[in-house]
Structures are given as structure tokens and as C-alpha cells.
Amino acid sequence: MASLNKTGGLVYVEKANRLEEMLEDDRQSLSRSTAGSRRRVRKIVEHQETETKEHLNKQKARELLNASYVKTAQETQRNIERSVKRNKEKKKQKFIDLNNDIDRCLDFLDVVDKDISLHDEAELNKVKRQFGEWNSNVHGRIQDNISRKLNAKDYKAMLKEKNADYQKFLDITNKKSAIFRDIIIESEYDPLEPNRRAIKAGTGKLKDPTLHILQKTVDEMVMLDPEYGKSGENTGGKYTLPTEMWASGKIEATPHGRFGKMMASANNEEKRKRAPRSKVVFDEFDFPKGKSAIDVEMPLGKKAQVATGPSTFSRVMHDERSF
């Protein structure tokens, strides 16, 4: 039996069955090797596909993560920008409010300055008017009377009297070793004689603006009693008990004495306890000392309340994240 070899030539085989078996073996071997190669190729392709899918999944996850990061960064940037803008608006509004407060304070100070200037001007005008009235009604009147008395007297006579007084003083000093003002012997020398010849100018009733309240009281009392003040006693001012009436045995007969006895009675002890009293110690040598006295005079302040909630920084961050 003839068959083709691998090179294309003819081969003569005596046993055809054996050849068929050999060829069948070759075909089976070739088929097994081809199937193994296909399996290996399939595994390689599947492995490459798996790696490619994993790579694509990782790349996609990375892209998603980057996109999330970008989105978070953009959102954080927008929150920061909003926070900065809000802080700028708050500062601007605070500046406007403070500026308005300053303007209101300046307006108030202008009003106060105007009121103070008007008050000072009114007080100055009052003092000027009072001085003018005093100068014309008191000082001017006294000065005019003194000037009239001086003008009515001859200056040569005045000079002669002054020289005579000086001569008397010199004569007595030459006679005696010392002259005492508290021991006066008028038969020898009277040093008060020049004072008796001094110019006296009567003024009469003066309208003194500084005594306006007292004079007003006197004028009102005169309207009620025309004889008031004619006795010459000092009727100005508030009535006070005479000094001799404060003696023991006399004060009890006055309202002051009865009032003192009434206040000292046992029935008014509770009222006296409730009456306001001063707790100031006036004894400079025996006064409260020590820690108890200091605590009463300067007590401790209130206890500070410590905040137990979240801090201001954490609250601000939470508010910014909530946008």
C-alpha cells in the first residue's frame, strides 16, 4: 500500500493496519496537543482579560475618587468663600454700626457741649449781673460815702492831725521804756484817740445781692409784722434755740427736750432700731481688723460659669460644614 509522507513523496507500507494505527495515534496526539495549547491560550487570554478588567476597575475607581476629591475640594472652597464673604459682610456691618454709634455719640456730645456752654454762659451772666448789682448797690455806695466824707475834709488839717499824733507817740516813747497796747493809761497817752477821729461814712440799708435770701425773708416777715426787726436783733437766717436754753433743766421745757424724751422712750425702741444708721467707724485707734472685717468690706466676686459645651471653633466649623 502506498501513502504520502511528510515531504510529499510516496511511501510503501506492507501492513496497512499498522499504518492506520500509527496515523490514528498521531492524530490523537496532535489533537491532545492542540487542545492543551488552546486551553493554555484560553487561560492566558482570560487572565489578560481579568487583569484588563481589574485595571479598568481600578482606573475607574481612581477617577471616581479623584472626582469625589475634586467635588469635596470645590465644595470646601465654596464654603470657605461664603464664610469669608459672610465675615466681610459682618465686619462691614459692624463697622457701619460702630460708625453710626460714633456719629450718634458726636451728636450727643455736641448737644451736651451746647447745653454746658449755655449753662456756663448763663452762670457767667448771673455772676456778672450779681457783681454789677453788688458793685453799684454795696461797694459803690460805700465808696461814694467815703469819698464824700474825704472830700469834705481839708487835707491840710488831716496832715496836721497826723503829724500831731506822730509827735505824741514819739514824746511818750522818749519818756517811757515801753508802751503796751493792752495797758492803756489815758491820762498819759491814748493810742486809740486817732481811731476815734477816723472818717465814718454811714451806709444805711444796703441791697446786697449776696444776702438776697435773708433780705427776702426779712421783707416777708415785715409784711406780716411791721414791727419785725426793729429791736435791732439779728433776725436773718434759720431760727435756732438760744444757747442758754440748752442747759439741763431748761432744755426739757422746750420741744427739743420733749422730742428727745419721746425718742428715748421704750415704746419707740423698735422705730429707732429700724431707723437708718451709719456703720462707718470713726475711731482711728480701735477699728475692725482681720480677715472677717476685710471679707465684709470687700466681699468675693461671683463665681465664673465654665462652659461645658463645644468650643467656639468647633461650632464655627460645624456651621461652615452645614452650608
Side-chain angles (χ1 to χ4, degrees):
M1 183 178 179
S3 63
L4 296 174
N5 59 5
K6 293 181 179 181
T7 60
L10 295 174
V11 178
Y12 293 93
V13 180
E14 295 179 355
K15 296 180 179 180
N17 294 331
R18 182 61 180 166
L19 179 61
E20 289 294 334
E21 292 177 358
M22 293 175 65
L23 291 174
E24 185 65 26
D25 293 335
D26 289 338
R27 282 194 296 271
Q28 290 179 359
S29 177
L30 180 60
S31 177
R32 284 193 298 273
S33 61
T34 302
S37 299
R38 287 177 180 176
R39 284 195 299 271
R40 285 193 297 272
V41 170
R42 192 181 299 113
K43 289 182 179 180
I44 293 171
V45 171
E46 290 177 356
H47 181 67
Q48 290 178 352
E49 289 178 354
T50 302
E51 289 182 351
T52 303
K53 288 181 180 180
E54 292 178 355
H55 178 70
L56 291 175
N57 291 332
K58 289 181 179 180
Q59 187 176 1
K60 187 176 180 180
R62 192 179 296 109
E63 290 177 355
L64 293 175
L65 185 60
N66 291 334
S68 177
Y69 285 159
V70 172
K71 184 178 179 180
T72 304
Q74 292 176 354
E75 187 68 23
T76 303
Q77 183 67 25
R78 287 194 295 270
N79 291 335
I80 293 173
E81 290 177 355
R82 285 197 296 267
S83 178
V84 171
K85 184 178 179 180
R86 186 169 61 253
N87 291 333
K88 286 183 179 179
E89 291 177 354
K90 287 183 179 179
K91 289 182 180 180
K92 184 177 179 180
Q93 186 63 35
K94 185 177 181 181
F95 175 78
I96 293 174
D97 294 339
L98 292 176
N99 194 15
N100 293 333
D101 291 340
I102 292 174
D103 293 337
R104 287 194 295 269
C105 291
L106 292 176
D107 295 339
F108 176 72
L109 291 176
D110 291 338
V111 174
V112 173
D113 291 339
K114 187 182 295 184
D115 293 339
I116 292 175
S117 62
L118 291 175
H119 179 268
D120 294 341
E121 186 176 357
E123 289 294 327
L124 182 61
N125 293 332
K126 180 180 178 181
V127 173
K128 287 182 178 179
R129 184 174 63 254
Q130 191 176 23
F131 174 75
E133 293 178 359
W134 178 84
N135 193 24
S136 59
N137 298 330
V138 180
H139 178 267
R141 187 172 176 179
I142 295 173
Q143 186 66 30
D144 291 341
N145 291 337
I146 293 175
S147 298
R148 187 166 53 254
K149 288 286 186 178
L150 288 175
N151 294 331
K153 196 169 185 178
D154 187 10
Y155 75 94
K156 292 183 179 180
M158 293 175 58
L159 182 60
K160 185 176 180 181
E161 290 178 357
K162 183 176 68 173
N163 292 333
D165 294 334
Y166 285 159
Q167 188 62 42
K168 289 181 180 179
F169 177 75
L170 293 175
D171 293 341
I172 196 63
T173 53
N174 291 330
K175 293 179 181 179
K176 301 180 69 174
S177 59
I179 298 177
F180 301 97
R181 291 295 303 272
D182 56 344
I183 300 175
I184 298 175
I185 301 176
E186 295 182 359
S187 60
E188 295 181 357
Y189 176 68
D190 188 3
L192 302 180
E193 182 63 25
N195 295 336
R196 297 188 185 96
R197 297 195 308 268
I199 297 175
K200 298 179 181 179
T203 59
K205 185 178 180 181
L206 298 176
K207 189 178 180 181
D208 192 349
T210 59
L211 303 177
H212 175 69
I213 297 177
L214 298 178
Q215 290 183 351
K216 182 179 179 181
T217 303
V218 173
D219 295 338
E220 291 176 352
M221 295 302 295
V222 169
M223 292 174 62
L224 298 175
D225 184 10
E227 300 297 328
Y228 180 81
K230 291 184 178 181
S231 60
E233 61 181 357
N234 186 11
T235 56
K238 183 180 178 181
Y239 170 76
T240 57
L241 190 68
T243 305
E244 60 273 9
M245 293 299 298
W246 287 94
S248 178
K250 295 182 179 180
I251 187 67
E252 290 78 7
T254 63
H256 302 276
R258 289 198 296 270
F259 181 76
K261 184 181 293 185
M262 180 180 64
M263 291 300 296
S265 63
N267 296 330
N268 295 304
E269 185 68 22
E270 187 66 24
K271 293 183 179 180
R272 289 194 295 107
K273 288 182 179 180
R274 291 199 303 265
R277 296 182 181 180
S278 175
K279 297 181 180 180
V280 179
V281 180
F282 291 98
D283 192 348
E284 298 180 358
F285 302 97
D286 186 11
F287 53 88
K289 302 177 183 178
K291 184 177 181 303
S292 59
I294 295 176
D295 292 339
V296 172
E297 185 174 357
M298 294 180 292
L300 297 177
K302 295 183 179 179
K303 183 179 180 181
Q305 298 295 332
V306 181
T308 58
S311 62
T312 304
F313 178 76
S314 62
R315 290 198 299 271
V316 171
M317 294 302 294
H318 176 72
D319 294 340
E320 291 182 354
R321 294 195 188 97
S322 61
F323 283 100

